[in-house]
Amino acid sequence: MSSRPIAPAARPLPFICARRAPLDKQEFLLRMVLVIGTPLDWPEAKKVASHVRSWGIEQLLAIWRRAKGKERDALLWGDEVEYLVVCYDDENHAVRLSLRQADILMSLVLDDTLPDQGGGVSGVQQGPVKALETVPIFHPEFGRFMLEATPGKPWGIGFKDLLDVEHNMKWRRARAKDHMDPTEYPITLTTFPRLGTKDCTTPSYPVSGEMLRSQFVPDEIANPHIRFPTLAANIRFRRGRKVEINVPVFRDEKTPWPFRDPTVDYDLHQWPEDDDVRNGAAKDGCIYMDAMAFGMGSCCLQITFQAKNIAEGRKMYDQLSPLGPILLALTAATPIYKGFLADTDVRWNQISRSVDDRTREELGELPLKNDRWRIPKSRYASNSTYISQDPRLRKEYLDPDLVIDGDLKQRLLDGGMDDLLATHFAHLFIRDPIVVFTEDLRVLDLDKADHFENLQSTNWQHMRFKPPPPGSDTGWRVEFRPMEIQITDFENAAFSVFIVLITRAILSFDLNFYIPITRVSENMETAHIRDAVSSQKFYFRKNPFPSRVGRPANTSDTSSPAAISRPPSPLGPVEDEYELMTINEIINGQQSTEGGFPGLIPLVESYLNSMNVDVETRCELARYLDLIRKRADGTLWTAAKWIRNFVRNHPEYQKDSVVNEIINYDLVKAAETITRNEGRDGLAVEMLGARQ
């Protein structure tokens, strides 16, 4: 999971010219690990929290004043793909997570061809962006077993770029693999199925270290950059106990019941937090986990859009927000935790709990005494705000119980920011900064964004609205964050292209997907239910079109409502504007209902019709739309369903919910085979369909 909070004192590491002599390993590790700054432990960080928030608001206002009128010519976008690096022990029929992130990145740094073509390793060695190249850039992630890869330059909106994404994703994976040991492979599973079991990493380290204090994973599993262990330790310190992650176990025929996680050690007395399990942290019927690594060690697929201006960015943020839970369920890929089948299919809530720093008072478990307010959600959660100045945004869509910092909101208003955006940031800034460096408290620099990003980047919501970085030509951006990573590059490209095309349809047709933001949060919870894509219904807006005479027919030939004037203020009860729909209805349309919701794919196809796309390009894009269409109607399975079925039909499976080492090995090997062959050999045809 992308978890790169901006470490305020972790100064930008100087780029190394592609023509210089290569780094030796010692220098590389210093550049990767060394932090020019002194992180504060939580008791000291708490004392300066209000100071950091105040300075962050001043930096935000400086950005706002400079960039609120910024215009870009066209939409740009980028994708982020995250990998687990696994290491096979074929002789013993075992697979483990490889903790060689630094070695792999070092090898990539030494690859002269990457910086020469505009790629490289972020922050260490990276060449100039080439006009015609999209050579990958590799990034470290929270887990030492993780890598992230992005294209070397943003994608444009041109259809050629859309058709290049899949090839580029395959290229990224191949380049990463080229710099790994023969026994290693970059797999795109959301989580490693046996993370947290004994001997699940190589090299292996003792658990119960000082920073994570986990019963199940060692401190060495995390990236050694000081911001990561400090983040984990200060979250634990602030909440007064370890993070508490309980995932319902899948109850199979022979699952012991009531289920009590057999891996929990109730007799461990290494740290004071070991009392957590004796005080009820591990819930009956659940798989119990106790560290940030179980969430931030997850992989996902994220898409960032650059809008032409702030108004377009705010509109995309709002209109994509209701789509988040739908794409979360549609990409479901996480049915296993810590060697047990779970009764959920997606990762979101597990990550949410892994970074939940709320105290007992903020959780509502104790009366407010030392804290300022009760906070309903973790800092990793679904959106709680809409921010567009669209006249169709009714106050009834907003969260009536939204918690904000009133003083900071007033400062934003006094600085010229409008009420909606000021409310959004005043909500984000109810949180405390978790990682604070002494050196950054000396002088407020309004030409930087370190204090602002300290809070902004550690609010992990399913959408993120991103102001332009100071001193950069970058515009206003929106990040779409809910999707699960898929096993193949074909699938990841399909979902990336689909979201891009939806944004084009939204802006071209002035579509309206507003529903109450609290319903979006409910939908996020629904998306966790096992096989939600086929078994559940989600709140969704019935009529996405602006007010006009008549509506397009409910088919893929829906015409563009290009000549529509701005709609009048909506009237009537908000509850009449949306209803519960299946994902099939949302994606493919309510074909049996006169005047029903047209469907996201028909809307995308209408947009493509309006653009007069050539036949060859339409055929290529149709491969992606067909995958999504069939996932939605149940013809093709989600990865979560396929993985669950693989486990339950494995000859080693005892129908007791346990995913043992042999099953795990065969599952990961199968995932690698699927990645390479993409179903052409018949494996995973239920998930990918018959492919040639």
Side-chain angles (χ1 to χ4, degrees):
M1 178 65 225
S2 187
S3 59
R4 297 191 304 276
I6 303 301
R11 312 286 187 234
L13 299 174
F15 290 154
I16 300 159
C17 176
R19 299 301 178 189
R20 289 184 185 176
L23 293 170
D24 63 27
K25 186 170 181 180
Q26 182 177 2
E27 184 181 357
F28 171 76
L29 291 174
L30 284 174
R31 289 184 181 272
M32 287 293 295
V33 178
L34 183 64
V35 175
I36 307 172
T38 308
L40 299 178
D41 290 338
W42 176 245
E44 296 304 311
K46 183 178 181 179
K47 294 176 184 177
V48 298
S50 62
H51 182 75
V52 174
R53 280 192 295 267
S54 177
W55 279 14
I57 290 295
E58 295 306 317
Q59 289 179 334
L60 171 60
L61 280 172
I63 295 169
W64 162 260
R65 295 186 189 109
R66 286 191 297 260
K68 62 182 177 181
K70 193 168 193 171
E71 294 281 342
R72 300 290 299 182
D73 292 333
L75 176 142
L76 299 174
W77 66 280
D79 67 87
E80 301 174 27
V81 174
E82 294 167 343
Y83 309 98
L84 303 175
V85 182
V86 297
C87 181
Y88 296 110
D89 177 357
D90 293 329
E91 184 177 346
N92 294 301
H93 214 77
V95 60
R96 298 175 180 86
L97 288 169
S98 171
L99 303 187
R100 291 196 329 107
Q101 178 189 87
D103 297 281
I104 295 166
L105 290 172
M106 174 66 181
S107 179
L108 286 160
V109 166
L110 296 176
D111 183 344
D112 291 336
T113 65
L114 281 175
D116 283 347
Q117 299 175 73
V121 176
S122 176
V124 179
Q125 184 174 14
Q126 183 178 331
V129 173
K130 305 286 184 173
L132 299 177
E133 299 283 354
T134 51
V135 178
I137 296 174
F138 294 92
H139 312 259
E141 263 292 346
F142 172 84
R144 285 195 196 183
F145 52 85
M146 302 174 74
L147 287 178
E148 180 185 294
T150 59
K153 69 180 182 69
W155 300 109
I157 190 53
F159 292 106
K160 179 184 182 302
D161 278 8
L162 296 182
L163 299 185
D164 285 345
V165 172
E166 182 180 350
H167 169 75
N168 188 265
M169 288 181 173
K170 293 179 188 296
W171 187 21
R172 284 178 239 171
R173 195 191 300 257
R175 292 304 290 263
K177 170 57 184 166
D178 287 345
H179 294 274
M180 295 178 185
D181 286 346
T183 56
E184 293 174 330
Y185 192 78
I187 208 84
T188 44
L189 291 173
T190 312
T191 61
F192 185 67
R194 285 181 58 82
L195 174 63
T197 61
K198 186 177 180 181
D199 198 29
C200 67
T201 67
T202 180
S204 183
Y205 296 94
V207 299
S208 197
E210 182 177 4
M211 301 303 285
L212 298 182
R213 303 191 180 184
S214 170
Q215 286 199 13
F216 310 111
V217 294
D219 285 359
E220 289 82 1
I221 206 166
N223 186 312
H225 193 295
I226 192 61
R227 72 174 180 259
F228 291 110
T230 301
L231 183 68
N234 283 0
I235 285 174
R236 171 177 48 77
F237 206 138
R238 188 186 188 280
R239 66 180 269 121
R241 58 203 188 283
K242 291 189 289 186
V243 295
E244 183 179 308
I245 310 166
N246 284 283
V247 183
V249 72
F250 173 73
R251 186 177 183 179
D252 213 335
E253 295 175 22
K254 298 181 181 178
T255 304
W257 209 262
F259 178 85
R260 294 183 176 87
D261 190 331
T263 67
V264 176
D265 184 354
Y266 289 91
D267 297 319
L268 186 63
H269 294 274
Q270 180 81 11
W271 305 103
E273 292 86 351
D274 292 330
D275 286 339
D276 289 357
V277 293
R278 290 182 283 275
N279 293 328
K283 309 301 183 188
D284 285 357
C286 292
I287 307 156
Y288 170 70
M289 293 162 283
D290 65 352
M292 185 174 169
F294 288 106
M296 289 301 187
S298 302
C299 297
C300 68
L301 172 67
Q302 296 178 179
I303 311 295
T304 299
F305 302 97
Q306 179 177 265
K308 69 179 182 181
N309 54 35
I310 188 173
E312 184 176 271
R314 293 170 72 165
K315 181 173 185 176
M316 284 200 294
Y317 177 94
D318 280 14
Q319 296 304 327
L320 288 174
S321 287
L323 303 186
I326 311 307
L327 270 296
L328 176 61
L330 202 57
T331 57
T334 320
I336 305 173
Y337 278 99
K338 216 180 66 175
F340 296 100
L341 284 175
D343 204 30
T344 58
D345 271 3
V346 300
R347 79 201 187 285
W348 190 266
N349 281 348
Q350 283 64 266
I351 307 177
S352 175
R353 293 163 186 149
S354 78
V355 292
D356 191 352
D357 68 336
R358 289 176 296 171
T359 67
R360 292 190 184 277
E361 292 181 20
E362 290 169 336
L363 286 164
E365 297 174 358
L366 295 174
L368 286 174
K369 180 179 179 182
N370 300 308
D371 295 305
R372 296 183 293 169
W373 35 58
R374 183 179 178 274
I375 302 177
K377 296 180 180 179
S378 166
R379 63 196 303 149
Y380 193 113
S382 59
N383 290 5
S384 295
T385 58
Y386 288 127
I387 62 174
S388 176
Q389 293 179 302
D390 190 327
R392 299 172 297 185
L393 175 56
R394 302 176 62 173
K395 63 179 178 61
E396 293 93 337
Y397 301 151
L398 305 176
D399 184 352
D401 300 316
L402 186 71
V403 180
I404 65 168
D405 187 314
D407 293 339
L408 296 183
K409 178 180 177 180
Q410 189 59 52
R411 177 68 191 101
L412 292 170
L413 294 173
D414 293 343
M417 190 176 288
D418 61 272
D419 187 83
L420 276 171
L421 202 55
T423 298
H424 169 76
F425 286 115
H427 170 65
L428 299 186
F429 273 60
I430 65 173
R431 310 290 178 176
D432 282 335
I434 300 298
V435 181
V436 180
F437 290 82
T438 301
E439 291 77 6
D440 283 316
L441 300 174
R442 295 170 181 167
V443 179
L444 171 60
D445 188 344
L446 294 180
D447 291 324
K448 295 174 63 177
D450 50 352
H451 297 293
F452 168 69
E453 287 292 349
N454 196 327
L455 276 301
Q456 161 89 345
S457 66
T458 56
N459 272 275
W460 298 279
Q461 299 188 339
H462 82 270
M463 298 289 303
R464 182 177 281 159
F465 184 64
K466 304 173 75 169
S472 167
D473 192 43
T474 303
W476 295 88
R477 292 152 297 151
V478 173
E479 189 174 44
F480 188 76
R481 301 171 45 80
M483 292 190 291
E484 309 246 293
I485 197 74
Q486 304 295 284
I487 293 176
T488 69
D489 298 306
F490 164 66
E491 295 165 280
N492 288 317
F495 281 103
S496 299
V497 169
F498 180 55
I499 289 297
V500 173
L501 291 175
I502 286 176
T503 65
R504 296 297 87 195
I506 288 170
L507 296 174
S508 296
F509 298 164
D510 197 23
L511 299 177
N512 175 11
F513 294 129
Y514 278 126
I515 61 173
I517 196 68
T518 53
R519 293 299 197 190
V520 176
S521 296
E522 290 180 52
N523 283 346
M524 287 292 282
E525 294 302 313
T526 301
H528 286 74
I529 296 172
R530 178 162 45 90
D531 202 27
V533 68
S534 298
S535 67
Q536 300 300 308
K537 291 188 174 184
F538 296 75
Y539 293 105
F540 210 76
R541 189 176 185 87
K542 292 187 281 189
N543 179 8
F545 298 107
S547 299
R548 67 193 182 100
V549 178
R551 278 181 52 190
N554 185 3
T555 72
S556 62
D557 294 325
T558 303
S559 58
S560 167
I564 303 166
S565 60
R566 294 296 293 175
S569 298
L571 299 173
V574 166
E575 292 75 16
D576 291 345
E577 298 176 354
Y578 62 91
E579 67 183 18
L580 286 167
M581 301 184 198
T582 65
I583 284 187
N584 185 36
E585 291 173 327
I586 294 168
I587 297 297
N588 295 318
Q590 294 176 315
Q591 303 295 337
S592 61
T593 304
E594 183 178 355
F597 182 72
L600 296 178
I601 285 182
L603 288 170
V604 164
E605 290 176 330
S606 298
Y607 164 71
L608 294 173
N609 289 343
S610 74
M611 297 299 291
N612 297 316
V613 181
D614 65 86
V615 173
E616 183 179 355
T617 300
R618 283 296 293 266
C619 289
E620 287 297 303
L621 294 176
R623 295 188 305 124
Y624 300 143
L625 297 181
D626 194 53
L627 173 76
I628 292 162
R629 178 184 291 112
K630 290 179 178 178
R631 286 276 174 91
D633 70 18
T635 302
L636 297 180
W637 294 358
T638 63
K641 185 172 183 177
W642 187 88
I643 291 169
R644 191 183 302 277
N645 183 73
F646 180 94
V647 170
R648 297 190 72 197
N649 286 283
H650 193 283
E652 282 284 321
Y653 183 62
Q654 303 299 310
K655 302 185 185 302
D656 57 358
S657 308
V658 174
V659 181
N660 67 26
E661 197 164 280
I662 294 174
I663 299 172
N664 185 54
Y665 173 88
D666 289 343
L667 173 60
V668 175
K669 277 285 189 181
E672 180 186 343
T673 300
I674 294 166
T675 301
R676 295 181 185 278
N677 298 332
E678 296 187 339
R680 294 179 180 89
D681 57 356
L683 182 62
V685 66
E686 306 94 337
M687 184 170 61
L688 298 171
R691 304 196 68 218
Q692 298 179 352

